[in-house]
């Protein structure tokens, strides 16, 4: 068994090279994977992460500042079965369930990504933007939106559970 990850009582795998500031304000529901060099900023406000989530290598998860009261922050909620790619900056108010976020994505302060969305690699979404459910966001200008089929939710659930099981088998050998 490798010592690169810490396995929690709720079956989360957290890299020893990940940084979680303000751990008392960070809630991870279970069966999630937090990779190397991930920085979760619980010291700034509440961060909630659902089940079967993956936070990719080098990503930043930071609750955004409140628009009127700069000393406070808006809680950041990431739904279940959500994949965050490598080197992402997540400063959103909410990321829904069954969301796939590619590598090098920047989510602006207080934006909301609804359920069943795909944000392709390299996209930058501005502050206070709301992405509707079943939407694919592509191109660098992030103005190209495509509607996704209802079957996406089951596909993303299956992918997240399968990838967790594969990671678990690899880790425990």
């Amino acid at each position: 068994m490798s010592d690169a990850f810490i396995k929690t009582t709720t079956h989360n795998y957290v890299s020893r090279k990940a940084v979680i500031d303000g751990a008392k304000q960070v809630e991870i529901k279970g069966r999630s994977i937090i990779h190397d060099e991930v920085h979760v900023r619980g010291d700034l406000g509440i961060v909630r992460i659902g089940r079967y989530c993956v936070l990719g290598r080098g990503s930043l998860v930071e609750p955004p500042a409140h628009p009127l009261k700069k000393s406070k922050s808006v809680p950041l909620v990431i739904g279940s079965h959500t994949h965050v790619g490598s080197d992402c900056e997540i400063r959103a108010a909410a990321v829904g369930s069954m969301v796939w976020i590619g590598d090098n994505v920047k989510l602006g302060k207080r934006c909301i990504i609804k359920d069943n969305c795909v944000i392709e690699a390299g996209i930058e979404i501005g502050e206070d933007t709301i992405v509707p459910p079943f939407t694919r966001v592509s191109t660098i200008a992030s103005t190209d939106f495509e509607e996704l089929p209802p079957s996406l939710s089951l596909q993303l659930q299956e992918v997240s559970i399968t990838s967790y099981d594969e990671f678990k088998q690899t880790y425990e050998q």
Side-chain angles (χ1 to χ4, degrees):
M1 189 172 205
S2 173
D3 287 335
F5 287 84
I6 299 168
K7 183 179 178 183
T8 68
T9 57
T10 53
H11 303 282
N12 296 306
Y13 288 90
V14 180
S15 170
R16 290 187 184 276
K17 294 180 182 176
V19 177
I20 300 178
D21 293 332
K24 288 184 178 183
Q25 295 198 94
V26 177
E27 178 185 352
I28 307 171
K29 291 286 187 187
R31 300 185 189 278
S32 294
I33 303 167
I34 298 179
H35 286 283
D36 295 349
E37 300 171 23
V38 170
H39 194 170
V40 180
R41 296 294 309 268
D43 59 326
L44 299 177
I46 296 169
V47 177
R48 290 192 182 102
I49 300 171
R51 294 176 159 271
Y52 291 102
C53 291
V54 175
L55 300 182
R57 179 184 182 93
S59 291
L60 170 68
V61 178
E62 180 178 298
H66 192 281
L68 303 174
K69 301 174 186 171
K70 299 296 181 191
S71 62
K72 293 190 176 190
S73 66
V74 176
L76 169 55
V77 179
I78 298 175
S80 296
H81 302 282
T82 295
H83 172 90
V84 175
S86 299
D87 300 313
C88 292
E89 292 180 16
I90 309 298
R91 292 184 173 96
V95 176
S97 295
M98 281 81 67
V99 173
W100 186 273
I101 298 174
D103 296 340
N104 299 308
V105 170
K106 293 183 178 163
L107 300 182
K109 294 177 183 174
R110 298 174 305 278
C111 74
I112 298 172
I113 310 298
K114 298 286 189 171
D115 295 344
N116 305 298
C117 290
V118 175
I119 312 294
E120 292 187 357
I123 298 295
E124 190 168 329
I125 295 181
E127 294 182 5
D128 301 308
T129 302
I130 299 175
V131 177
F134 294 100
T135 302
R136 176 192 306 270
V137 181
S138 59
T139 72
I140 301 303
S142 70
T143 56
D144 188 16
F145 297 95
E146 175 188 341
E147 189 173 344
L148 296 168
S151 62
L152 178 73
S153 60
L154 283 175
Q155 290 172 339
L156 287 176
Q157 276 183 341
E158 289 173 7
V159 166
S160 66
I161 292 170
T162 303
S163 66
Y164 175 82
D165 289 340
E166 287 172 358
F167 178 87
K168 182 179 170 184
Q169 287 176 350
T170 304
Y171 176 75
E172 291 183 349
Q173 286 181 351

